Amino acid sequence: MPAPISERKLANAIRVLSFDAVQKANSGHPGAPMGMADIAEVLWRKFLKHNPTDPQWHNRDRFVLSNGHGSMLIYSLLHLSGYDVSVDDLKGFRQLHSKTPGHPELGYTPGVETTTGPLGQGIANAVGFAIAEKTLAAQFNRDGHNIVDHNTYAFLGDGCLMEGISHEVCSLAGTLGLGKLVFFYDDNGISIDGNVEGWFTDDTQARFESYGWQVIKVDGHDADAITQATEQALAETAKPSLIICKTTIGAGSPNKQGLAASHGAPLGDDEIALTRDALSWKHAPFELDDEIYEAWDAKAKGDVQQKNWDADFEAYKKAYPELAAELLRRLNGDLPADFASQAQAYIQQTQEAGADVASRKASQNAINSLQPLLPELLGGSADLAGSNLTLFKGAKGIEKDADGNYIYYGVREFGMTAIANGIALHGGFIPYVATFLMFMEYARNAVRMGALMKQRVIHVYTHDSIGLGEDGPTHQPVEQLTSLRTTPNLRTWRPCDATESASAWVEAIKSENNPSALIFSRQSLPHQARDSEQVANITKGGYVLAKEQGELQAIIIATGSEVSLAMEAYETLSANGVGVRVVSMPCAEIFVEQDANYREAVLPANIRARVAVEAAHVDYWYKFVGLDGKVIGMTTYGESAPASDLYKEFGITTDAVVEAVNSLV
């Protein structure tokens, strides 16, 4: 009988596949995969619970490669373990439409749990996975039935820890006691610019211990030590664990290991030949022994693990049939069968109530009405719950030793948003997060990542304009709406009253493949009269709120708090014989997706006299008013003063709208 294949040789399979693929693409990062190969071999072969034949098995462990530039590490692992990632896929690394893009991308590669690359956000996603697992387990597990029970693992590097988001999310993870969260830190001391001692000398162990983490230090090339450290991490259930693995970047390369030269560029043919010799690797590029594949293959083990879980779930279904059905509904991302009808009834009730109310309060009313229908709504705010009005009746904060349904994120806008992406990716929840619209800027890249991954995350942004008043220009958003609206796949709603606010919430919940930004006012907004057709047309993103009297001569387009200005201008202009209509456009992105006939019915192309009014940057609206039209809004920052004074100061008034329309007719 042949001797068992060594763990080092199994790890070397990762190394050679990684540097071969990078070399063939003439692009990529071989250093991290080569340096972390021994860690990856231990985790994936000994500990990771997964099934390559069913990558979406609900109770699988989650693995995140936060240092996503080392993507050939995860592609090699997926290929070796038996996922649908072939040798040809590895050869197509970084090529158009391949399964192996430059950074791991959700939806391209089976087994990739999240899109990573912007450093630190993978860490945050992993924290989101762990929060989701802990919360879902608390809601559904019963004595003798741990049906939600898995771990979350992440690999990370120096760059991830230098990014400020790592502090935000790791601090919160320690506070929440996420004991099923295990991070492996690739402590190789090298980043793109060279040895990090010139710019990164943190005491990482002390830092994480201060967060409340268990910290373990090991030689990242010693398989036995890594095994023991992982066992120790899994045994600690009250704290997350950080395993600091001292490694050599590019390990195995005679002339480039330990150097920045192996970080972000191919090794080169000559160095690859020397590395093959150093590793005693005799095979041609992309060729491996059958015994290596057999030792790596995780399909049989994963199949047994999943079948065992299936049996456990069958027992759970018999004991708790309603809970089992509800869990599957939520994990599958389905809304309750009666949600649409009940939500529509709520919208109609809101319209009939006709209350004047700040849209942030209308938002809270919507949450209070919709959350009992949707226990999967998992809310949170960045230390602004009392201002964002995101707390609902029955909200209970998630704590280290207390189960809940609401997350107090603290002042962590970026971390909060990236964690929410992870919660959505995990399944079982529809997360919403909140802050002032101005402080979306802290979270901007995480908002973009959620849109890139098409995740149903709801971003609640209040205090939406100069209308917040005395806090001044540091808190008054101007360009943020344009930034959000130009983000592909993101839907941005700025409702003008309680009815539009309720509709925005319902559409955001229904939007399976889009995150949504819901923009709400601090100040009270007047209710607008509508018939049933107009209420229905809110979902189309834009609609005629006030129809012209007589022949149509001009169109006023408005959103949010400025709709009331448009309506006041409409009354004045109509009384003076001007045929003007008001179009409320709470979600421009959805409006432009409507068919041409509908868009023409709302905004007839032959009517070039158009005025848009919004207390935000003017540039976005020229796509709707054209070069002949006018936009009333902001081109500068705000000032500190009462809201009414500011609207006059910046010329966002009824008189200004009337004057603009008259100048065009």
Side-chain angles (χ1 to χ4, degrees):
M1 178 179 294
I5 191 166
S6 71
E7 289 191 72
R8 178 56 55 83
K9 186 173 182 180
L10 294 173
N12 285 344
I14 298 171
R15 293 185 168 97
V16 295
L17 287 174
S18 297
F19 65 61
D20 280 343
V22 171
Q23 189 65 31
K24 187 175 188 304
N26 195 30
S27 176
H29 299 75
M34 295 173 70
M36 297 195 77
D38 299 298
I39 308 165
E41 184 274 327
V42 169
L43 176 63
W44 277 63
R45 289 188 64 250
K46 295 182 179 179
F47 295 99
L48 193 70
K49 180 175 64 176
H50 63 124
N51 187 358
T53 59
D54 185 2
Q56 297 304 308
W57 170 36
H58 293 310
N59 204 47
R60 68 192 181 278
D61 289 340
R62 272 41 171 201
F63 173 79
V64 177
L65 184 70
S66 186
N67 46 343
H69 54 273
S71 56
M72 268 311 304
L73 175 59
I74 193 169
Y75 300 149
S76 299
L77 290 165
L78 293 169
H79 169 70
L80 291 165
S81 298
Y83 286 81
D84 184 18
V85 179
S86 68
V87 168
D88 286 340
D89 291 325
L90 301 185
K91 291 178 179 178
F93 178 55
R94 289 189 164 225
Q95 305 309 300
L96 184 64
H97 301 315
S98 76
K99 285 185 181 179
T100 52
H103 291 82
E105 291 190 40
L106 185 73
Y108 279 71
T109 319
V112 168
E113 301 281 2
T114 180
T115 300
T116 56
L119 294 176
Q121 287 197 64
I123 296 176
N125 296 162
V127 172
F129 285 138
I131 290 174
E133 191 275 342
K134 177 179 180 178
T135 307
L136 203 65
Q139 293 178 359
F140 286 95
N141 287 354
R142 295 295 182 268
D143 289 343
H145 297 278
N146 290 329
I147 209 67
V148 179
D149 183 16
H150 62 78
N151 299 303
T152 300
Y153 301 99
F155 283 3
L156 53 126
D158 293 301
C160 293
L161 292 182
M162 282 187 257
E163 289 287 359
I165 191 174
S166 68
H167 165 69
E168 295 183 28
V169 302
C170 294
S171 168
L172 184 61
T175 298
L176 296 180
L178 301 178
K180 291 186 176 181
L181 183 64
V182 181
F183 285 176
F184 294 83
Y185 165 34
D186 181 27
D187 182 16
N188 61 37
I190 296 293
S191 64
I192 291 175
D193 283 348
N195 194 308
V196 300
E197 287 184 358
W199 47 88
F200 183 54
T201 58
D202 299 12
D203 186 337
T204 299
Q205 178 174 351
R207 171 186 167 187
F208 274 77
E209 287 175 344
S210 76
Y211 295 153
W213 287 56
Q214 172 182 230
V215 180
I216 308 162
K217 284 189 169 183
V218 298
D219 178 349
H221 300 296
D222 183 333
D224 290 338
I226 299 165
T227 300
Q228 292 171 14
T230 307
E231 290 171 343
Q232 183 180 341
L234 295 175
E236 173 55 79
T237 59
K239 298 179 180 180
S241 294
L242 176 70
I243 303 176
I244 300 176
C245 304
K246 193 63 183 176
T247 62
T248 300
I249 192 171
S253 168
N255 297 304
K256 294 188 176 182
Q257 64 181 1
L259 303 176
S262 69
H263 183 282
L267 297 182
D269 290 333
D270 292 342
E271 186 65 18
I272 283 177
L274 293 173
T275 305
R276 276 188 151 78
D277 287 342
L279 299 177
S280 299
W281 198 268
K282 307 301 182 184
H283 302 291
F286 300 103
E287 290 185 5
L288 302 176
D289 288 335
D290 289 343
E291 64 174 353
I292 290 177
Y293 280 117
E294 290 171 5
W296 265 105
D297 195 334
K299 294 193 294 292
K301 180 180 178 182
D303 189 55
V304 169
Q305 290 174 323
Q306 184 166 351
K307 285 180 177 177
N308 289 339
W309 183 84
D310 289 341
D312 292 341
F313 191 71
E314 285 300 314
Y316 179 74
K317 283 171 63 177
K318 291 178 181 178
Y320 304 99
E322 293 182 358
L323 275 177
E326 175 71 358
L327 175 60
L328 287 179
R329 177 189 72 77
R330 288 173 53 174
L331 288 173
N332 292 333
D334 300 327
L335 298 177
D338 61 349
F339 175 77
S341 60
Q342 294 202 52
Q344 189 56 45
Y346 171 69
I347 294 169
Q348 190 59 41
Q349 290 167 8
T350 303
Q351 177 64 27
E352 292 170 358
D356 294 354
V357 63
S359 56
R360 62 170 174 162
K361 180 60 180 177
S363 168
Q364 185 178 48
N365 293 341
I367 299 170
N368 275 326
S369 296
L370 298 174
Q371 195 278 333
L373 309 177
L374 293 168
E376 58 263 46
L377 273 182
L378 184 60
S381 178
D383 201 46
L384 288 168
S387 295
N388 299 145
L389 302 185
T390 48
L391 285 170
F392 52 88
K393 296 173 183 176
K396 181 183 177 184
I398 295 171
E399 299 176 10
K400 183 173 185 177
D401 299 315
D403 305 324
N405 54 11
Y406 187 89
I407 303 172
Y408 289 94
Y409 282 103
V411 187
R412 299 180 175 101
E413 294 91 351
F414 190 8
M416 169 185 73
T417 306
I419 286 171
N421 288 339
I423 291 171
L425 287 161
H426 178 278
F429 294 100
I430 300 174
Y432 68 87
V433 292
T435 186
F436 289 176
L437 176 56
M438 184 64 247
F439 303 126
M440 174 279 295
E441 294 292 353
Y442 284 123
R444 180 74 185 89
N445 198 260
V447 175
R448 183 180 188 271
M449 292 296 287
L452 180 63
M453 293 189 285
K454 303 179 180 179
Q455 292 305 295
R456 180 163 45 185
V457 177
I458 301 172
H459 307 281
V460 176
Y461 297 129
T462 67
H463 297 62
D464 66 345
S465 70
I466 57 171
L468 70 88
E470 291 86 348
D471 279 339
T474 61
H475 284 54
Q476 293 166 0
V478 173
E479 71 276 24
Q480 284 64 42
L481 280 168
T482 296
S483 176
L484 291 168
R485 287 176 177 140
T486 55
T487 300
N489 205 50
L490 177 69
R491 291 177 169 174
T492 301
W493 290 83
R494 188 171 184 247
C496 74
D497 67 359
T499 304
E500 286 191 359
S501 298
S503 296
W505 260 105
V506 171
E507 291 306 301
I509 288 167
K510 289 163 57 179
S511 186
E512 294 183 38
N513 298 311
N514 305 83
S516 299
L518 309 185
I519 315 299
F520 298 119
S521 71
R522 177 191 184 189
Q523 69 271 32
S524 181
L525 305 181
H527 170 74
Q528 301 297 334
R530 299 176 184 84
D531 60 28
S532 58
E533 182 180 4
Q534 289 172 310
V535 172
N537 283 341
I538 294 172
T539 64
K540 296 179 180 178
Y543 64 101
V544 178
L545 179 62
K547 188 172 174 58
E548 63 276 6
Q549 298 176 20
E551 181 183 356
L552 178 62
Q553 297 173 275
I555 301 171
I556 305 171
I557 306 169
T559 78
S561 50
E562 287 69 66
V563 168
S564 62
L565 294 181
M567 292 298 290
E568 291 170 1
Y570 168 83
E571 297 294 339
T572 300
L573 290 162
S574 297
N576 292 332
V578 178
V580 63
R581 71 169 49 167
V582 174
V583 171
S584 177
M585 196 171 289
C587 186
E589 301 94 314
I590 291 179
F591 177 75
V592 298
E593 293 173 357
Q594 304 306 305
D595 63 64
N597 289 337
Y598 180 78
R599 286 183 279 115
E600 174 66 16
V602 175
L603 297 176
N606 66 312
I607 305 300
R608 300 172 69 97
R610 300 181 182 187
V611 174
V613 53
E614 184 177 64
H617 202 284
V618 300
D619 281 4
Y620 178 81
W621 290 103
Y622 285 105
K623 66 188 290 183
F624 291 103
V625 304
L627 297 179
D628 296 334
K630 292 189 175 182
V631 183
I632 295 172
M634 299 292 293
T635 56
T636 67
Y637 296 115
E639 295 284 350
S640 177
S644 58
D645 293 344
L646 292 172
Y647 273 83
K648 293 175 185 176
E649 172 71 16
F650 292 102
I652 305 174
T653 63
T654 300
D655 289 345
V657 177
V658 170
E659 181 181 345
V661 172
N662 283 329
S663 72
L664 296 174
V665 172

